[in-house]
Amino acid sequence: MKKILFLGSAAALVAGCATPPPSGPSVMVLPGSTKTFDQFRFDDNECRQFASSQIGGQTAADAQTSSAVKSAAIGTAVGAAAGGLIGGNSGAGVGAGVGLLGGSLAGTGASESSGYSLQRRYDFGYQQCMYAKGHQIPMAGRYAPYQQSSKQAAPPPPPPPGPPPPPPPAKSS
């Protein structure tokens, strides 16, 4: 029994390390050049609702929690079944503890992935809505480092020679 309690505590500690992402957009949007700040705030609120409806009203934190709990529950059930088959009643308890720990560890990775995917879908919907309302979406520019050249650029080569001129007309006497 002490092993199960210890393994459960360890699993809870590991699962507690996952921090949920923000419940709003994680991208920057700037007010459009013809928009007031009050219009921007109104559109921001409207687009947050739109983005939330695009992902089914579920927050990224909800998706993470759901995924982690499902993985831990499945791990516990599989561990208990395997422990019961291998070691009888005493093996079922140990198997459940090991399954809980393994399921919790797997659930941590799955929950991070679920939260990240949901956050990206939310951000895409939010940006699309704000852009459609006339606001600006900052984009990364291409950076070309300045190259200081000590030489002057060489002049371009001369054009290739053209066809030879036609022969002069023959003189008739």
Short mmCIF file of all heavy atoms in Angstrom, two decimals, residues 46-74:
data_model
loop_
_atom_site.label_atom_id
_atom_site.label_comp_id
_atom_site.label_asym_id
_atom_site.label_seq_id
_atom_site.Cartn_x
_atom_site.Cartn_y
_atom_site.Cartn_z
N GLU A 46 -14.66 40.48 -29.79
CA GLU A 46 -15.46 39.71 -30.75
C GLU A 46 -14.65 38.58 -31.38
O GLU A 46 -15.15 37.46 -31.55
CB GLU A 46 -15.98 40.67 -31.83
CG GLU A 46 -17.12 40.11 -32.64
CD GLU A 46 -17.72 41.17 -33.53
OE1 GLU A 46 -18.51 42.00 -33.02
OE2 GLU A 46 -17.38 41.18 -34.73
N CYS A 47 -13.40 38.85 -31.71
CA CYS A 47 -12.55 37.84 -32.34
C CYS A 47 -12.11 36.76 -31.35
O CYS A 47 -11.90 35.61 -31.74
CB CYS A 47 -11.35 38.49 -33.01
SG CYS A 47 -11.82 39.41 -34.49
N ARG A 48 -11.99 37.11 -30.08
CA ARG A 48 -11.70 36.08 -29.06
C ARG A 48 -12.86 35.09 -28.99
O ARG A 48 -12.66 33.89 -28.87
CB ARG A 48 -11.46 36.72 -27.70
CG ARG A 48 -10.11 37.38 -27.56
CD ARG A 48 -9.99 38.09 -26.22
NE ARG A 48 -8.76 38.85 -26.14
CZ ARG A 48 -7.77 38.56 -25.30
NH1 ARG A 48 -7.87 37.56 -24.48
NH2 ARG A 48 -6.69 39.29 -25.29
N GLN A 49 -14.08 35.62 -29.04
CA GLN A 49 -15.25 34.74 -29.03
C GLN A 49 -15.30 33.87 -30.28
O GLN A 49 -15.63 32.69 -30.22
CB GLN A 49 -16.53 35.56 -28.89
CG GLN A 49 -16.68 36.23 -27.54
CD GLN A 49 -17.88 37.14 -27.47
OE1 GLN A 49 -18.63 37.29 -28.43
NE2 GLN A 49 -18.09 37.76 -26.32
N PHE A 50 -14.97 34.47 -31.42
CA PHE A 50 -14.95 33.71 -32.68
C PHE A 50 -13.91 32.59 -32.61
O PHE A 50 -14.20 31.45 -32.96
CB PHE A 50 -14.64 34.64 -33.86
CG PHE A 50 -14.37 33.90 -35.14
CD1 PHE A 50 -15.40 33.36 -35.87
CD2 PHE A 50 -13.06 33.74 -35.59
CE1 PHE A 50 -15.15 32.66 -37.04
CE2 PHE A 50 -12.80 33.04 -36.76
CZ PHE A 50 -13.85 32.50 -37.49
N ALA A 51 -12.72 32.91 -32.14
CA ALA A 51 -11.65 31.91 -32.07
C ALA A 51 -12.03 30.79 -31.10
O ALA A 51 -11.75 29.61 -31.35
CB ALA A 51 -10.34 32.56 -31.65
N SER A 52 -12.67 31.16 -30.00
CA SER A 52 -13.11 30.15 -29.04
C SER A 52 -14.15 29.22 -29.66
O SER A 52 -14.13 28.00 -29.44
CB SER A 52 -13.68 30.84 -27.80
OG SER A 52 -14.11 29.89 -26.86
N SER A 53 -15.05 29.78 -30.45
CA SER A 53 -16.05 28.93 -31.11
C SER A 53 -15.41 28.04 -32.18
O SER A 53 -15.91 26.95 -32.46
CB SER A 53 -17.16 29.78 -31.72
OG SER A 53 -16.68 30.50 -32.84
N GLN A 54 -14.31 28.49 -32.75
CA GLN A 54 -13.62 27.68 -33.76
C GLN A 54 -13.02 26.41 -33.17
O GLN A 54 -12.86 25.42 -33.87
CB GLN A 54 -12.50 28.49 -34.43
CG GLN A 54 -12.97 29.60 -35.33
CD GLN A 54 -13.72 29.06 -36.52
OE1 GLN A 54 -14.94 29.09 -36.58
NE2 GLN A 54 -13.01 28.55 -37.49
N ILE A 55 -12.69 26.44 -31.89
CA ILE A 55 -12.11 25.25 -31.25
C ILE A 55 -13.12 24.56 -30.35
O ILE A 55 -12.75 23.75 -29.49
CB ILE A 55 -10.82 25.60 -30.47
CG1 ILE A 55 -11.09 26.64 -29.39
CG2 ILE A 55 -9.73 26.07 -31.41
CD1 ILE A 55 -9.92 26.89 -28.47
N GLY A 56 -14.40 24.88 -30.52
CA GLY A 56 -15.44 24.20 -29.78
C GLY A 56 -15.66 24.73 -28.38
O GLY A 56 -16.22 24.03 -27.53
N GLY A 57 -15.20 25.93 -28.08
CA GLY A 57 -15.40 26.52 -26.77
C GLY A 57 -14.51 25.94 -25.68
O GLY A 57 -14.62 26.30 -24.53
N GLN A 58 -13.62 25.05 -26.06
CA GLN A 58 -12.73 24.41 -25.08
C GLN A 58 -11.46 25.24 -24.97
O GLN A 58 -10.94 25.72 -25.97
CB GLN A 58 -12.41 23.00 -25.57
CG GLN A 58 -11.59 22.18 -24.61
CD GLN A 58 -11.33 20.78 -25.16
OE1 GLN A 58 -11.39 20.56 -26.35
NE2 GLN A 58 -11.02 19.85 -24.28
N THR A 59 -10.96 25.42 -23.75
CA THR A 59 -9.69 26.13 -23.59
C THR A 59 -8.54 25.14 -23.70
O THR A 59 -8.73 23.93 -23.55
CB THR A 59 -9.60 26.85 -22.23
OG1 THR A 59 -9.58 25.87 -21.19
CG2 THR A 59 -10.77 27.80 -22.03
N ALA A 60 -7.37 25.67 -23.95
CA ALA A 60 -6.19 24.80 -24.04
C ALA A 60 -5.93 24.09 -22.72
O ALA A 60 -5.52 22.93 -22.68
CB ALA A 60 -4.98 25.63 -24.46
N ALA A 61 -6.20 24.76 -21.61
CA ALA A 61 -6.01 24.14 -20.29
C ALA A 61 -6.97 22.97 -20.10
O ALA A 61 -6.61 21.93 -19.53
CB ALA A 61 -6.20 25.17 -19.19
N ASP A 62 -8.22 23.12 -20.58
CA ASP A 62 -9.18 22.02 -20.49
C ASP A 62 -8.70 20.81 -21.28
O ASP A 62 -8.83 19.67 -20.83
CB ASP A 62 -10.56 22.44 -21.03
CG ASP A 62 -11.24 23.48 -20.15
OD1 ASP A 62 -10.86 23.61 -18.97
OD2 ASP A 62 -12.16 24.14 -20.65
N ALA A 63 -8.17 21.06 -22.48
CA ALA A 63 -7.68 19.95 -23.31
C ALA A 63 -6.51 19.26 -22.65
O ALA A 63 -6.40 18.03 -22.68
CB ALA A 63 -7.26 20.48 -24.69
N GLN A 64 -5.63 20.02 -22.02
CA GLN A 64 -4.48 19.42 -21.34
C GLN A 64 -4.94 18.56 -20.17
O GLN A 64 -4.47 17.44 -20.00
CB GLN A 64 -3.54 20.51 -20.83
CG GLN A 64 -2.66 21.09 -21.89
CD GLN A 64 -1.64 22.03 -21.31
OE1 GLN A 64 -1.96 22.85 -20.45
NE2 GLN A 64 -0.43 21.93 -21.78
N THR A 65 -5.83 19.08 -19.37
CA THR A 65 -6.30 18.34 -18.19
C THR A 65 -7.01 17.06 -18.60
O THR A 65 -6.76 15.99 -18.05
CB THR A 65 -7.25 19.23 -17.36
OG1 THR A 65 -6.55 20.41 -16.99
CG2 THR A 65 -7.72 18.51 -16.12
N SER A 66 -7.87 17.16 -19.59
CA SER A 66 -8.61 16.00 -20.06
C SER A 66 -7.67 14.92 -20.58
O SER A 66 -7.81 13.73 -20.26
CB SER A 66 -9.58 16.42 -21.16
OG SER A 66 -10.19 15.32 -21.75
N SER A 67 -6.69 15.32 -21.36
CA SER A 67 -5.73 14.36 -21.92
C SER A 67 -4.89 13.70 -20.83
O SER A 67 -4.66 12.50 -20.85
CB SER A 67 -4.83 15.07 -22.93
OG SER A 67 -3.93 14.18 -23.50
N ALA A 68 -4.45 14.48 -19.85
CA ALA A 68 -3.62 13.93 -18.77
C ALA A 68 -4.41 12.96 -17.91
O ALA A 68 -3.92 11.87 -17.55
CB ALA A 68 -3.08 15.07 -17.90
N VAL A 69 -5.66 13.29 -17.58
CA VAL A 69 -6.49 12.42 -16.74
C VAL A 69 -6.80 11.11 -17.47
O VAL A 69 -6.72 10.03 -16.88
CB VAL A 69 -7.79 13.15 -16.32
CG1 VAL A 69 -8.79 12.19 -15.71
CG2 VAL A 69 -7.46 14.27 -15.36
N LYS A 70 -7.12 11.21 -18.75
CA LYS A 70 -7.42 9.98 -19.52
C LYS A 70 -6.20 9.07 -19.58
O LYS A 70 -6.32 7.85 -19.43
CB LYS A 70 -7.88 10.35 -20.93
CG LYS A 70 -9.27 10.93 -20.99
CD LYS A 70 -9.63 11.32 -22.41
CE LYS A 70 -10.97 12.03 -22.46
NZ LYS A 70 -11.28 12.52 -23.80
N SER A 71 -5.04 9.65 -19.82
CA SER A 71 -3.83 8.82 -19.91
C SER A 71 -3.51 8.16 -18.58
O SER A 71 -3.12 6.99 -18.53
CB SER A 71 -2.63 9.67 -20.35
OG SER A 71 -2.82 10.14 -21.65
N ALA A 72 -3.67 8.89 -17.48
CA ALA A 72 -3.40 8.31 -16.15
C ALA A 72 -4.39 7.20 -15.83
O ALA A 72 -4.02 6.14 -15.31
CB ALA A 72 -3.46 9.39 -15.08
N ALA A 73 -5.67 7.39 -16.17
CA ALA A 73 -6.68 6.37 -15.89
C ALA A 73 -6.44 5.11 -16.71
O ALA A 73 -6.54 3.99 -16.20
CB ALA A 73 -8.07 6.94 -16.17
N ILE A 74 -6.12 5.29 -17.98
CA ILE A 74 -5.85 4.13 -18.84
C ILE A 74 -4.59 3.41 -18.35
O ILE A 74 -4.56 2.17 -18.29
CB ILE A 74 -5.72 4.57 -20.31
CG1 ILE A 74 -7.09 5.00 -20.83
CG2 ILE A 74 -5.15 3.45 -21.17
CD1 ILE A 74 -7.06 5.65 -22.19
#
